[in-house]
Amino acid sequence: AKAKSRGSISIYEPEMDQQIRDRRVLHQDLSVAIRNGELSLHYQPQAMAHQTVAGSKVIGFEALARWMHPVRGFVSPGDFIPLAEESGLIVEMGEWILREACREAASWPMPLQIAVNLSPAQFMHGDVVGLVHSILLETGLAPGRLELEITEGVLIEDFDRGLALLRRLKALGVRVSMDDFGSGYSSLSYLQAFPFDKIKIDRDFVINLGRNPQSASIVRAVISLGHGLEMSIVAEGVETQEQLAFLADSGCDAVQGYFLGRPAPIGQYAALVGRNPGD
Ligand code: C2E
Ligand code: CA
Ligand code: CA
Ligand code: CA
């Protein structure tokens, strides 16, 4: 629990001490997690929106980090990625994630896309261009198959640096997508200013598709705006047939979500990547 405040008076809760100790321990654990092989990647399929109704046409996967802690069990990336960012561990961890995802994708018989999340700290403070370049060489993955997902918040911090980095990444031949579009300080001018290849519409809009008419209008507007800027549109968090049908009707290019498949170890998607199950 967080400290509760009533008006301007904060009520101290002893459990906060425990929380701080917890974080410290978790942080120590995280620093050995890579070495101990506790980190792994799950993969979630993305498919063409209009063909998914009939039979899914998978175009690629998003890699999502997982941490299996020896005592606590599964720790969510929503919890450990921010922790890794604060402590600087994200540099080492992000490098591991990128290498692992590229190595995996390079081994698939089918030349599908692989999308990897870049955290803000990784993007703004590391040598992300040098890293991507060397991992592509090392793994032999065709640059055109790699897609880097960046949240727009990152770019607000330093517009010039953000723009320069995106251009240099694109010069390597990789694609960049704007993740969680609509969830933060989304500004339409960002879409025009930055050379994204793809927009990922945040799950919040998709959840609300059947519930409020505004979400449907916003989704349609984002799709048409994105297309006008020659970007392709992916909707995330698609859980139902109705959501999929609406998105396909509205011209959304691709979809990702539980309706299609949950994030899972790649073995579960062996047939989709062109491997014989059990290989
Ligand atoms: P994200 O990039 O927006 O990833 C999508 C999240 O939505 C994933 O959560 C995924 O499991 C979940 N999801 C996908 N489809 C559905 C659906 O149909 N319904 C619902 N309810 N959820 C769905 P996950 O894997 O827990 O990751 C959470 C966040 O943690 C990610 O959000 C991303 O911001 C971050 N993250 C995950 N892996 C990495 C990584 O390797 N590097 C970095 N920097 N961040 C990561
Ligand atoms: Ca993402
Ligand atoms: Ca997302
Ligand atoms: Ca999201």
Side-chain angles (χ1 to χ4, degrees), residues 179-180 202-203 236:
D179 203 357
D180 298 341
D202 193 62
R203 186 165 78 225
E236 60 179 28

Side-chain angles (χ1 to χ4, degrees), residues 62 117 149 179:
E62 179 176 359
N117 294 285
E149 299 194 355
D179 203 357

Side-chain angles (χ1 to χ4, degrees), residues 9-175:
I9 304 160
S10 311
I11 296 161
Y12 178 77
E13 290 183 88
E15 52 189 281
M16 277 184 66
D17 272 349
Q18 184 58 43
Q19 264 195 341
I20 291 165
R21 269 198 304 274
D22 264 22
R23 282 174 75 76
R24 213 168 279 147
V25 172
L26 206 56
H27 171 238
Q28 283 160 7
D29 293 351
L30 191 56
S31 66
V32 294
I34 301 177
R35 243 170 296 153
N36 292 354
E38 293 163 13
L39 279 193
S40 65
L41 295 181
H42 277 190
Y43 295 83
Q44 185 177 34
Q46 290 180 356
M48 307 276 285
H50 61 284
Q51 291 179 16
T52 306
V53 189
S56 84
K57 172 80 179 122
V58 169
I59 52 178
F61 289 85
E62 179 176 359
L64 293 156
R66 296 290 178 261
W67 180 16
M68 189 48 78
H69 186 280
V71 178
R72 292 168 196 242
F74 171 72
V75 183
S76 156
D79 292 333
F80 74 81
I81 298 283
L83 194 62
E85 286 227 307
E86 278 167 34
S87 60
L89 279 171
I90 193 67
V91 176
E92 190 189 349
M93 184 175 292
E95 181 172 340
W96 182 87
I97 290 168
L98 188 64
R99 181 175 288 110
E100 177 65 16
C102 291
R103 199 189 51 72
E104 176 58 47
S107 77
W108 300 339
M110 303 272 279
L112 301 170
Q113 300 276 344
I114 178 75
V116 181
N117 294 285
L118 289 185
S119 81
Q122 213 185 343
F123 186 75
M124 280 315 225
H125 309 297
D127 172 20
V128 68
V129 182
L131 181 67
V132 169
H133 183 58
S134 65
I135 288 180
L136 286 171
L137 290 176
E138 181 190 322
T139 60
L141 184 74
R145 292 180 55 197
L146 178 62
E147 191 177 292
L148 300 169
E149 299 194 355
I150 299 157
T151 52
E152 59 198 329
V154 171
L155 302 168
I156 291 167
E157 267 181 56
D158 186 341
F159 187 102
D160 294 335
R161 184 171 153 80
L163 185 56
L165 283 174
L166 284 193
R167 288 188 173 144
R168 289 173 60 209
L169 285 170
K170 293 196 56 163
L172 295 177
V174 306
R175 290 161 206 247

